[in-house]
Amino acid sequence: MTSSPLNIAGHPVSPDHFINGARVGSAQCFEVFSPIDQQLLGRVAEGGAADCEAAVQAAQAAFPAWSALGAARRKPFLDRLAEEIGKRAEAFCVVESNDAGVLLSRMRHGVVPRAMLNISFFAEHALGLQERPIETEQAHHRVRHDPAGVVLIITPWNAPLMLTTWKLGPALAAGNTVIIKPPEWAPLTCSLLADCVAAAGLPPGVVNIVQGSGAGPGARLVADPRLARISFTGSVATARLIAQAAGANLVPCSLELGGKSPFIVLEDADLDNAAATAALMYRNAGQVCLAGTRLLVHERVLTRFKEVMRGFVDKLTIGDPRDEATEIGPIIHPRQLERVKGFVERARQAGATIEWGGAPHPFGAQYYQPTLLSGVAQDSEIVQQEVFGPVLTLQGFSTDEQVVQMANGTDYGLGGVCYGETAHATAIADQVRTGFIWVNSFGIRDLAAPFGGIKRSGIGREGGDWSFEFFCDVKDVVVPKKPFKASFSHR
């Protein structure tokens, strides 16, 4: 039994699962609220054991034919999928802005175009990865990237459409079939994505979507031994649970987790550019894993940097993300807001100075002021733990050796930023232990480049060839150049 579509600002969105090419309702539902004004958006199907089983069976059944097509014959399906996303661009923008509080301007100018590219890029990239010859003196080697099987994709609430397509593109292009478990706090654009899958003509069972909580369908799916891969973006705590369940079945996992990235400002930095970029760390209400949340500034320029940055922060527009002029929107959920408030209050009690912000914003119930804390110790909670809100810390340093030690002084290692004279900044960047780091810039990304972290920031890399190394079974087919004669002789 299916349910009537939800009406999200004039755009219909199915609240049901998408399994084996059809909408499937559930007896159990959960409520979805907008972070903008806490209004109920609707009741969405909560996946149970039967839904999870149906999704796995559908993906298994669809795998032989989909994997046998080869990259070239899969590509037209994926190109149509990208086109269908484009046809529904405004719906994706409006729905995700209402559902997750993401800036409407960011959706229109960044997220939806990137979501389309996530599909089409990997469809094209897969064409060159089916076989790679290696010639040796003894044999011809053909290194194949074969489809792995049924893939489970679990995505976070801070960028549902972008991160779902970022994983879905290479998983499908590689020839796998997919089950998506959307974020329970922001599931609606994944439901729209199912409409695109159907309109693009992908065979039933190739893409399945089971909605619900991590403790419900999420836990059931990650423990299923029939999975070939699990790709997860989210928190360290959830990743540990996933890894434990997957480990019991030896299912490989790709885990892109949190960050506590350093934002280094050297004495020879362009302070205006560095400060303007630092203010960008508040975007999406600070709910960005790769943001440079620890400002490490040379003592000789610290006061001036803080003054310049304050000027940029004061100009930021906080408000309704559906307003094109807004630059900072709401925190996703009341629980997340309480988490952010708790971090700031504990830091204050521990002696931190509130340079600016430090409290909820009067615009609405789930809004928080851009906040900067100074006077924080390297081993303090606010420096060591990911807040995932519009909260930055400020620390001074006096030598290159000291700032490298501070930059590397957490359990995280996702990203980083370093501003300074190019050669100097590059030399520092080379010493920072992280998955990636931007020199005199921020946010420059290319789908062909690797993305991922070290330490508690994750396991594995996504992007380009690295995505296919994970989503494929790599096989070496060896054909000898001379007739092979078996021998037990070791002489």
Side-chain angles (χ1 to χ4, degrees):
M1 179 176 176
T2 59
S3 307
S4 299
L6 308 179
N7 185 337
I8 310 299
H11 297 280
V13 181
S14 172
D16 294 330
H17 311 299
F18 182 74
I19 300 173
N20 203 26
R23 291 292 181 174
V24 177
S26 289
Q28 300 297 319
C29 295
F30 63 98
E31 295 180 326
V32 177
F33 296 86
S34 174
I36 300 172
D37 52 15
Q38 297 74 58
Q39 293 299 306
L40 176 67
L41 296 177
R43 292 171 56 80
V44 175
E46 168 80 24
D51 302 309
C52 295
E53 177 64 23
V56 174
Q57 288 189 10
Q60 280 190 306
F63 176 72
W66 179 251
S67 62
L69 285 178
R73 286 191 291 168
R74 287 190 291 267
K75 186 177 184 298
F77 288 97
L78 300 183
D79 287 340
R80 287 197 298 272
L81 177 56
E83 291 170 3
E84 292 296 332
I85 294 172
K87 291 177 183 178
R88 294 165 175 78
E90 188 61 14
F92 277 111
C93 293
V94 171
V95 170
E96 187 152 305
S97 187
N98 279 273
D99 191 25
V102 179
L103 298 183
L104 188 61
S105 60
R106 182 167 173 255
M107 291 297 300
R108 285 175 173 155
H109 305 299
V111 174
V112 171
R114 166 68 185 273
M116 297 171 64
L117 184 61
N118 283 341
I119 304 298
S120 61
F121 172 87
F122 286 108
E124 178 70 27
H125 200 75
L127 297 178
L129 285 176
Q130 294 311 292
E131 288 191 6
R132 292 180 180 175
I134 298 175
E135 296 295 332
T136 68
E137 183 178 343
Q138 293 181 305
H140 305 282
H141 296 253
R142 289 187 299 112
V143 180
R144 295 175 50 87
H145 286 72
D146 292 340
V150 177
V151 169
L152 174 63
I153 292 173
I154 305 176
T155 51
W157 43 258
N158 62 318
L161 176 63
M162 195 281 284
L163 289 176
T164 299
T165 54
W166 165 237
K167 299 173 184 294
L168 182 65
L172 292 178
N176 303 299
T177 52
V178 174
I179 303 168
I180 300 170
K181 208 295 285 181
E184 60 193 282
W185 286 354
L188 299 184
T189 45
C190 281
S191 183
L192 287 179
L193 191 59
D195 296 336
C196 297
V197 168
L202 273 74
V206 170
V207 176
N208 307 274
I209 298 175
V210 180
Q211 302 164 146
S213 67
R220 290 188 183 94
L221 288 167
V222 297
D224 197 302
R226 292 167 292 183
L227 299 180
R229 299 288 189 274
I230 299 173
S231 180
F232 170 74
T233 296
S235 72
V236 173
T238 302
R240 287 195 176 107
L241 298 175
I242 291 171
Q244 288 171 1
N249 299 314
L250 296 180
V251 176
C253 295
S254 172
L255 306 173
E256 195 271 284
L257 310 178
K260 196 68 180 176
S261 300
F263 189 115
I264 300 168
V265 182
L266 302 172
E267 186 180 8
D268 49 16
D270 180 332
L271 292 189
D272 284 345
N273 283 338
T277 305
L280 291 177
M281 302 304 107
Y282 292 123
R283 71 179 188 175
N284 205 32
Q287 299 167 129
V288 180
C289 61
L290 51 78
T293 56
R294 294 185 293 133
L295 306 182
L296 308 178
V297 184
H298 196 284
E299 292 173 350
R300 291 190 181 131
V301 297
L302 192 150
T303 300
R304 174 61 180 155
F305 172 84
K306 186 169 59 175
E307 292 172 352
V308 176
M309 183 179 173
R310 180 62 185 268
F312 287 112
V313 173
D314 285 345
K315 295 176 183 177
L316 293 172
T317 301
I318 301 170
D320 192 321
R322 297 167 298 191
D323 185 335
E324 286 273 355
T326 297
E327 293 164 304
I328 298 179
I331 300 290
I332 181 74
H333 193 276
R335 291 215 312 256
Q336 184 64 20
L337 177 63
E338 288 304 311
R339 172 183 166 84
V340 172
K341 290 164 62 177
F343 268 108
V344 174
E345 183 56 32
R346 290 190 297 273
R348 190 201 314 265
Q349 293 175 1
T353 298
I354 308 295
E355 296 289 346
W356 55 73
H361 193 277
F363 184 85
Q366 283 175 219
Y367 291 75
Y368 199 85
Q369 298 176 20
T371 297
L372 182 67
L373 304 174
S374 64
V376 293
Q378 180 68 24
D379 62 354
S380 63
E381 178 194 55
I382 197 68
V383 170
Q384 292 293 322
Q385 299 298 319
E386 183 179 45
V387 178
F388 222 59
V391 178
L392 310 180
T393 58
L394 177 65
Q395 297 170 274
F397 68 89
S398 57
T399 67
D400 288 358
E401 293 74 18
Q402 183 185 15
V403 76
V404 169
Q405 186 177 34
M406 293 169 72
N408 293 334
T410 75
D411 289 335
Y412 291 94
L414 184 57
V417 181
C418 189
Y419 267 84
E421 185 275 325
T422 301
H424 186 192
T426 302
I428 296 295
D430 286 347
Q431 300 175 67
V432 177
R433 298 195 62 231
T434 187
F436 54 89
I437 186 166
W438 290 288
V439 173
N440 294 331
S441 59
F442 176 76
I444 298 173
R445 293 277 295 116
D446 192 288
L447 294 184
F451 181 88
I454 65 172
K455 298 189 283 187
R456 287 177 63 191
S457 287
I459 298 172
R461 292 293 181 271
E462 298 179 81
D465 292 356
W466 292 270
S467 287
F468 289 99
E469 292 296 316
F470 174 71
F471 284 121
C472 293
D473 288 330
V474 180
K475 177 172 63 181
D476 182 17
V477 179
V478 185
V479 178
K481 292 182 176 178
K482 298 178 181 179
F484 179 79
K485 294 182 180 180
S487 172
F488 290 100
S489 173
H490 297 286
R491 293 177 293 176

